[in-house]
Amino acid sequence: VGHTCGFECIHAMYARDVEDWNECRVTEKAKHQARVWGQVQYPVTAEAVHYYKSPVYLLDFRSENIGHSLFDTLLVWLPHWYMYRNKAGGSFPFEHVVSDSLHGCLESSTFWFCEILRSMDAFGTDPFELPPPPDVKTTLYCYETLYVSHVALQRTLRYPEALPKSVFDEFRDIMFERYGLPRNRNGTASSAAGTVVTEKRRRMSRRVSILLYAHEPSGRRVWEGMNDLVDSARTNGKYSHVDLLVVRDFDVPIQEQATLFNTADGFVMTHGAQMANSIFAVDGAVFYELGCLIPSFLGNSHFMKLLGGTYKGVQAC
């Protein structure tokens, strides 16, 4: 790992040696994490050692939040995936994948992020996911070579040059193909609003679809009054060319989430993990995000450039 106090991940900590680990565990931060995450494994109390000689990749992500899965984990991994996929002949430097976040992610899990990883062959065409380690409290797991992504390093894309648009485009093209979705309206690269300019006025050349979500199922950050606003807009002739689609809950299969986001030209939603589906939006889509504390990760200007979209935050409580 190469630095003191190991490498802290979401569910575990990986150290370069036993001495480093033991010194780390006495810090207040480590004690706090032990209480929060239940990290109770100590080398000095281990009864056995399991040693992995083959190279292993650690798949570490927030398994309860698709937004953090995208911004904390995938954005870090994409440049490496692209390099191994295109410049190394599809040869990845590790033979196995292990995850403390969600076991079975690369096999059968229907969690949003796991579906994404399998769809893009994130770790090669035939990765072998190691079974969950038994007896984690009594066995010390050691790796001759362990690949670890720095989770959240690119959450705000503070290194935009590390993730070129060409890499992100290749990833999105695979997603559009995998889920049978168009990338552009009418098969073109025109703006999602579908407007044409005449000598006299700007007119709409087709209907426009707006997707709205109040975030009601969670009980947090709820957009109160959204339904009344939508009802009013639907009876207002000014918006006769606009289809307003209200989503009540995003707890649906990924195919349905992807299709919902792909069919809309614009989005008006409160801040939430559902915005991770922005990767399925057509080029030129417009995102309006409502919340008490915004912009979120979605509102990052670098991320909008990758999407080819437009973002507007509305901060209100």
Side-chain angles (χ1 to χ4, degrees):
V1 173
H3 57 80
T4 59
C5 269
F7 191 97
E8 296 172 359
C9 294
I10 295 175
H11 298 285
M13 188 184 76
Y14 294 82
R16 57 187 173 186
D17 53 46
V18 172
E19 182 179 359
D20 177 32
W21 182 294
N22 286 335
E23 290 179 357
C24 245
R25 303 312 291 170
V26 299
T27 65
E28 287 302 317
K29 182 179 179 181
K31 291 179 181 178
H32 171 73
Q33 288 186 333
R35 291 191 295 268
V36 172
W37 295 107
Q39 297 168 333
V40 295
Q41 184 194 51
Y42 295 89
V44 293
T45 60
E47 298 175 1
V49 173
H50 190 107
Y51 185 78
Y52 293 94
K53 189 172 181 62
S54 299
V56 176
Y57 175 78
L58 172 67
L59 176 56
D60 197 29
F61 62 95
R62 289 274 295 273
S63 59
E64 80 288 357
N65 189 296
I66 68 175
H68 280 282
S69 297
L70 170 64
F71 288 98
D72 289 358
T73 301
L74 188 61
L75 295 189
V76 175
W77 179 242
L78 278 178
H80 304 282
W81 163 80
Y82 180 86
M83 179 184 66
Y84 297 135
R85 171 186 170 88
N86 296 294
K87 299 181 179 181
S91 177
F92 288 72
F94 44 82
E95 298 180 13
H96 307 296
V97 176
V98 65
S99 177
D100 292 315
S101 303
L102 183 63
H103 303 306
C105 185
L106 301 185
E107 297 176 358
S108 58
S109 173
T110 57
F111 178 63
W112 185 93
F113 187 54
C114 296
E115 298 260 23
I116 294 290
L117 293 177
R118 294 199 299 270
S119 296
M120 62 183 286
D121 290 334
F123 309 109
T125 56
D126 191 27
F128 180 76
E129 183 175 359
L130 296 172
D135 304 321
V136 293
K137 295 182 180 180
T138 59
T139 302
L140 178 64
Y141 291 85
C142 298
Y143 306 83
E144 182 168 306
T145 304
L146 180 67
Y147 288 83
V148 182
S149 293
H150 192 157
V151 174
L153 178 68
Q154 282 283 69
R155 174 184 290 176
T156 59
L157 287 170
R158 58 175 169 168
Y159 303 109
E161 69 283 354
L163 182 55
K165 193 174 187 303
S166 58
V167 174
F168 201 70
D169 282 344
E170 181 165 326
F171 158 69
R172 291 185 71 210
D173 284 340
I174 292 174
M175 292 298 101
F176 290 125
E177 181 179 359
R178 167 62 179 80
Y179 293 99
L181 305 170
R183 177 159 184 167
N184 300 289
R185 286 288 173 259
N186 303 322
T188 70
S190 60
S191 68
T195 58
V196 295
V197 179
T198 67
E199 293 181 357
K200 295 183 178 180
R201 70 186 187 280
R202 177 176 295 180
R203 64 182 177 81
M204 303 306 299
S205 63
R206 63 175 179 78
R207 298 191 63 78
V208 174
S209 176
I210 305 296
L211 198 64
L212 302 100
Y213 178 59
H215 211 267
E216 290 179 335
S218 71
R220 300 178 298 116
R221 302 189 299 270
V222 177
W223 178 6
E224 297 180 353
M226 183 197 73
N227 294 325
D228 293 336
L229 182 64
V230 170
D231 291 340
S232 176
R234 284 173 173 166
T235 58
N236 189 329
K238 181 180 179 180
Y239 306 108
S240 59
H241 62 282
V242 179
D243 294 322
L244 300 175
L245 176 60
V246 176
V247 180
R248 302 299 178 187
D249 194 349
F250 273 97
D251 187 19
V252 295
I254 186 173
Q255 178 70 63
E256 189 172 341
Q257 295 185 52
T259 302
L260 283 169
F261 264 74
N262 186 259
T263 55
D265 302 301
F267 307 86
V268 185
M269 301 181 176
T270 56
H271 163 60
Q274 79 282 347
M275 287 296 197
N277 287 294
S278 59
I279 61 175
F280 297 111
V282 294
D283 293 340
V286 180
F287 300 86
Y288 275 80
E289 184 178 40
L290 320 178
C292 297
L293 185 61
I294 53 173
S296 66
F297 306 145
L298 177 76
N300 185 291
S301 61
H302 297 301
F303 187 68
M304 277 296 115
K305 289 179 181 178
L306 292 176
L307 282 181
T310 302
Y311 173 88
K312 176 67 175 179
V314 181
Q315 186 168 343
C317 289

